[in-house]
């Protein structure tokens, strides 16, 4: 199930997304720092947009979201949102603890960092992305790589 078009970033759906069920079921086994659960039967493609919309995406080079925040990640952002249900999200929030087993529970909150400035990094759009393409102003190696991958350069803030 994908999110309705009215959902924006940071919003959740009123109904559960069945594709998250195996992850949500495993939450009870990973409630403390250091816990783990086997999700080897989980298919990551179940959390991707519908196959018809996989060709609508944007890419940019960025950094890890955890310290040391090394800039060695190629981020891919799909146009189509994949929803998560309110109850499913609440289970993530209420179950995820950063405390060690036996220690008083400490909820894992604010585990994100603010949006970072683009610092001149180009954002590339796939051929099927809906944002207008910018004129080709990328450096030759990037322009060549973009052409080979079927991407367009998108300018913006």
């Amino acid at each position: 199930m994908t999110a309705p078009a009215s959902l924006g970033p940071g919003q959740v759906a009123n109904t559960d997304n069945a594709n998250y069920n195996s992850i949500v079921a495993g939450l009870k086994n990973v409630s403390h720092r250091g816990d783990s659960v086997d999700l080897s039967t989980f298919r990551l493609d179940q959390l991707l947009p519908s196959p018809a919309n996989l060709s609508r995406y944007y890419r940019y080079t960025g950094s890890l979201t955890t310290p040391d925040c090394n800039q060695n990640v190629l981020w891919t952002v799909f146009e189509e949102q994949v929803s998560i249900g309110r109850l499913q999200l609440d289970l993530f929030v209420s179950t995820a603890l950063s405390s060690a087993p036996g220690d008083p529970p400490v909820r894992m909150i604010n585990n994100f960092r603010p949006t970072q400035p683009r610092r001149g990094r180009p954002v590339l759009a796939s051929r099927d992305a809906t944002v207008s393409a910018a004129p080709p102003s990328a450096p030759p190696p990037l322009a060549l790589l973009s052409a080979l991958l079927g991407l367009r350069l998108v300018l913006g803030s």
Side-chain angles (χ1 to χ4, degrees):
M1 163 198 279
T2 58
S6 62
L7 289 181
Q11 294 180 328
V12 296
N14 291 326
T15 58
D16 285 349
N17 181 334
N19 294 328
Y20 282 97
N21 285 345
S22 61
I23 295 174
V24 171
L27 284 173
K28 65 182 177 289
N29 298 319
V30 290
S31 59
H32 293 91
R33 183 179 58 225
D35 290 347
S36 64
V37 66
D38 180 10
L39 291 174
S40 60
T41 59
F42 173 72
R43 292 182 41 190
L44 187 58
D45 66 336
Q46 292 177 332
L47 298 183
L48 292 174
S50 62
N53 289 325
L54 285 177
S55 63
R56 294 180 176 197
Y57 60 89
Y58 305 89
R59 284 199 166 149
Y60 62 95
T61 57
S63 62
L64 295 170
T65 59
T66 55
D68 294 333
C69 300
N70 298 324
Q71 290 203 345
N72 57 357
V73 178
L74 176 62
W75 288 98
T76 300
V77 180
F78 290 99
E79 284 187 1
E80 181 182 335
Q81 296 180 23
V82 177
S83 67
I84 186 169
R86 167 63 60 200
L87 293 174
Q88 292 171 313
L89 180 61
D90 290 345
L91 281 170
F92 273 98
V93 172
S94 65
T95 306
L97 304 174
S98 61
S99 53
D103 288 350
V106 177
R107 292 224 193 286
M108 187 182 306
I109 59 171
N110 298 329
N111 61 339
F112 60 91
R113 72 172 198 204
T115 301
Q116 302 298 300
R118 211 169 44 92
R119 294 187 183 102
R121 292 174 291 177
V123 175
L124 303 173
S126 67
R127 285 186 186 134
D128 295 334
T130 58
V131 171
S132 297
S137 60
L142 182 58
L144 178 60
L145 178 63
S146 298
L148 290 173
L149 296 176
L151 301 172
R152 299 175 291 161
L153 183 64
V154 176
L155 296 179
S157 57

